[in-house]
């Protein structure tokens, strides 16, 4: 008995489709698989669509096995041709390659760091900021910086030491290591 109940067992169209599927599924799948270039998934879909169309046209089908087989193969071939046409009009689906998803470095990290450091430098006293600017940013020696600032070299060393400590603390408050 079929899952639809006893009435479906007596339906000649249902019996035809069941017989069609049992008799022709294997040979149809083998032939269609060749037509699809070995694509089993596509071949199975084509066979199912072919049997569905046979069910829709059950009243018009010639039940002679040779003619039935020819009809099934013709329908299957047309389904494959239609599928190939659809695929040729649509661009192929591809996975993105590594270049499309690669991370490209930009200047945003260094720009953000510069902004945070500039902001932290503003928290220093003018003397400390000037000592750091002369020694680190302008790449001058302690003696050169002392001469430009008009203070002894020991004072420049002391200002640089305390300026760096204060700068580290200010950067740590802003979330920078």
């Amino acid at each position: 008995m079929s899952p639809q109940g006893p009435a479906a067992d007596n339906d000649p169209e249902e019996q035809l489709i069941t017989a069609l599927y049992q008799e022709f599924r294997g040979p149809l799948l083998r032939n269609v698989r060749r037509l699809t270039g070995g694509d089993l998934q596509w071949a199975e879909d084509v066979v199912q669509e072919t049997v569905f169309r046979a069910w829709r046209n059950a009243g018009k089908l010639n039940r002679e096995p040779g003619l039935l087989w020819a009809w099934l193969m013709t329908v299957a071939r047309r389904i494959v041709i239609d599928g190939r046409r659809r695929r040729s009009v649509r661009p192929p689906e591809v996975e993105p390659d590594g270049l499309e998803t690669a991370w490209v470095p930009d200047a945003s990290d260094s720009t953000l760091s510069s902004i945070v450091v500039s902001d932290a430098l503003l928290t220093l006293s003018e003397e400390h900021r000037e000592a750091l600017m002369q020694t680190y940013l302008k790449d001058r020696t302690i003696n050169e910086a002392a001469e430009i600032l008009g203070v002894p070299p020991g004072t420049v060393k002391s200002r640089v030491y305390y300026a760096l400590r204060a700068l580290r603390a200010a950067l740590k408050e802003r979330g920078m290591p």
Side-chain angles (χ1 to χ4, degrees), residues 15-175:
Q15 290 174 354
L16 170 69
I17 296 309
T18 303
L20 270 178
Y21 200 74
Q22 288 173 352
E23 184 176 345
F24 293 110
R25 182 193 178 277
L28 191 59
L29 183 61
R30 278 190 298 280
N31 284 297
V32 171
R33 193 164 180 190
R34 275 190 234 117
L35 294 173
T36 61
D39 186 335
L40 180 61
Q41 180 75 37
W42 186 16
E44 287 176 344
D45 290 345
V46 169
V47 168
Q48 285 182 353
E49 178 64 23
T50 303
V51 173
F52 174 72
R53 290 182 186 183
W55 174 74
R56 280 196 333 216
N57 295 296
K60 302 175 198 171
L61 289 177
N62 187 328
R63 312 269 168 133
E64 183 183 321
L67 293 175
L68 198 51
W69 172 251
W71 187 90
L72 290 170
M73 278 307 298
T74 301
V75 170
R77 193 173 7 252
R78 287 180 181 163
I79 292 170
V80 170
I81 290 169
D82 289 345
R84 287 195 194 283
R85 285 183 184 150
R86 268 192 308 278
R87 289 178 181 185
S88 70
V89 210
R90 238 177 28 190
E93 296 176 13
V94 294
E95 293 294 321
D97 61 6
L99 293 177
E100 293 177 9
T101 57
W103 177 77
V104 178
D106 60 7
S108 63
D109 287 340
S110 63
T111 302
L112 183 60
S113 295
S114 297
I115 292 170
V116 172
V117 171
S118 295
D119 185 48
L121 280 170
L122 293 175
T123 64
L124 303 178
S125 70
E126 180 68 32
E127 292 85 15
H128 288 158
R129 192 170 41 251
E130 193 61 37
L132 283 180
M133 189 166 63
Q134 292 297 324
T135 56
Y136 279 91
L137 300 177
K138 294 186 177 180
D139 200 26
R140 295 196 169 114
T141 64
I142 295 291
N143 290 336
E144 292 171 338
E147 190 176 315
I148 291 171
L149 295 174
V151 293
T155 303
V156 173
K157 282 183 182 178
S158 174
R159 287 180 182 174
V160 167
Y161 173 79
Y162 287 109
L164 287 175
R165 277 183 57 187
L167 186 60
R168 276 190 208 106
L171 291 174
K172 195 171 191 176
E173 286 177 8
R174 287 163 177 74

